[in-house]
Amino acid sequence: MADHPGGIVTVVDLPWTPVDPVGEALHHLRVTGVFYSRTEADGPWAVDMPAFGDCVSFHVVTVGEAWVEVEGAPPVRLVPGDLALVPHGRGHVLRSAPGVPSMGRVDELPQEFLSPSYSVLRHAGTGAHVELICGVLSVDGAASRLLLDLLPSVVHVDGRQGGAWMAATLALTTDELTHARPGGEAVTTRLADILVIQSIRAWLDAQQVSTGWLGALREPQLGAAITAVHREPGRPWTVASLAREAAMSRSAFSARFTEVVGEPAMQYVTRFRMHVAADRLGYGRATVREVAAELGYDSEASFSRAYKREVGVSPGRTRRATGLPLPTVA
């Protein structure tokens, strides 16, 4: 990776060749553990999971069954070995059965904190017993967020179809969270990283998307051009240079890119750059001048105009206040 003042924004000299652009997007997906919990409950029970900004939540049932409900999406029933991924930081509800009233926000309920980022929640009832492993993970990087933007409100991975990877990873995660050992949280975060990536891969494998960003990634020639932009957003891209990456003529590349992605290639480049800029300004410590230079702009003024046009606010405002909307790349 190439270092720049204030952070890392490009990838160069990779020691491997990605199998496909989608695989590279998954390769660069990075999550960081924010909080984990283990639930041991006898029904009936239900808890509200609050919204967590740019985070991913996952829930795994190891014993019994539970339901995950996200507004606007059908309820998802989880049985042992199943995993539900809520990728957009949205609030949702966990229930022992549909219709059970909530006991309140999970973070406000009595629980045993084994560390600042790990707790055990127990509930005594008269109904069926359930055990769950849950986690909240922050997502790092503009490209990672672009990938998560593709996902539905809930990703359900059936444990029976998840294969050996699912069973093995869940067993290791459960063991780490059940038996406190030195470095346990670091190991758990890496295992959660695997769970999230494998879950997204399982969802992608089941899709037949032929348009938009994902559809373009699946076309080898367009995918090569998009991957190059994601690797080096600050390179002085033109339609001609992108066409060379795609091994296509300029006219054929331009027409095909617009047809599949839904916008001209250079508009996509600008939008992705602004997504990177919003990420660097809102979550890093780079100055506006540094980000402008990293993304190939000759002046801070021209960068600021492009940023405000895409994001709707000035780059300075984003730097002063995190949590502002990031530009959408479809």
Side-chain angles (χ1 to χ4, degrees):
M1 290 189 176
D3 292 314
H4 292 270
I8 298 174
V9 297
T10 64
V11 179
V12 296
D13 299 328
L14 289 177
W16 54 276
T17 300
V19 175
D20 59 73
V22 176
E24 175 158 320
L26 286 170
H27 175 78
H28 291 295
L29 178 64
R30 291 291 180 268
V31 297
T32 304
V34 174
F35 196 82
Y36 301 96
S37 68
R38 190 172 80 248
T39 298
E40 302 170 356
D42 297 319
W45 60 270
V47 295
D48 291 323
M49 305 295 297
F52 284 103
D54 290 320
C55 288
V56 172
S57 298
F58 73 86
H59 307 287
V60 178
V61 170
T62 56
V63 177
E65 73 170 47
W67 292 77
V68 179
E69 298 181 7
V70 179
E71 186 176 355
V76 174
R77 177 175 177 260
L78 302 179
V79 296
D82 285 4
L83 178 146
L85 194 69
V86 182
H88 304 140
R90 296 179 58 186
H92 51 286
V93 183
L94 295 178
R95 303 186 197 274
S96 58
V100 175
S102 174
M103 301 182 297
R105 282 173 51 124
V106 67
D107 53 332
E108 296 176 349
L109 296 175
Q111 51 201 290
E112 178 185 3
F113 285 87
L114 303 184
S115 79
S117 57
Y118 175 47
S119 73
V120 178
L121 177 64
R122 297 182 176 90
H123 174 72
T126 58
H129 182 71
V130 65
E131 296 182 12
L132 301 97
I133 299 293
C134 303
V136 178
L137 312 167
S138 66
V139 181
D140 301 324
S144 295
R145 294 190 182 92
L146 288 181
L147 184 59
L148 294 182
D149 285 346
L150 298 173
L151 302 180
S153 299
V154 184
V155 175
H156 177 207
V157 180
D158 188 326
R160 294 166 296 182
Q161 300 173 355
W165 71 264
M166 184 78 160
T169 308
L170 289 179
L172 289 169
T173 304
T174 302
D175 183 67
E176 287 295 333
L177 289 175
T178 303
H179 304 95
R181 291 188 289 265
E185 289 187 26
V187 173
T188 299
T189 295
R190 299 300 171 266
L191 291 171
D193 195 334
I194 294 171
L195 281 175
V196 171
I197 291 173
Q198 293 282 30
S199 299
I200 294 173
R201 186 170 72 174
W203 181 83
L204 289 173
D205 287 344
Q207 305 307 302
Q208 299 298 322
V209 179
S210 59
T211 59
W213 179 65
L214 180 57
L217 282 181
R218 284 179 162 164
E219 290 198 16
Q221 291 174 296
L222 294 184
I226 288 179
T227 298
V229 172
H230 289 186
R231 286 182 176 182
E232 299 181 86
R235 186 170 159 184
W237 292 109
T238 63
V239 173
S241 62
L242 289 171
R244 284 194 295 272
E245 294 288 338
M248 299 173 68
S249 71
R250 177 174 174 172
S251 58
F253 169 78
S254 182
R256 184 59 181 164
F257 192 100
T258 302
E259 178 185 1
V260 174
V261 180
E263 65 180 336
M266 292 312 299
Q267 184 174 324
Y268 179 90
V269 171
T270 298
R271 196 182 300 273
F272 183 74
R273 283 173 173 166
M274 296 308 105
H275 206 115
V276 172
D279 188 70
R280 295 275 285 113
L281 292 166
Y283 298 89
R285 296 182 178 180
T287 66
V288 175
R289 183 183 298 275
E290 288 169 343
V291 174
E294 290 164 7
L295 293 177
Y297 284 85
D298 294 332
S299 71
E300 185 176 335
S302 62
F303 164 73
S304 295
R305 286 193 297 271
Y307 186 92
K308 188 169 185 179
R309 185 167 57 248
E310 290 292 336
V311 182
V313 297
S314 69
R317 182 181 172 194
T318 299
R319 191 169 185 270
R320 290 191 296 270
T322 61
L324 290 174
L326 296 178
T328 299
V329 177

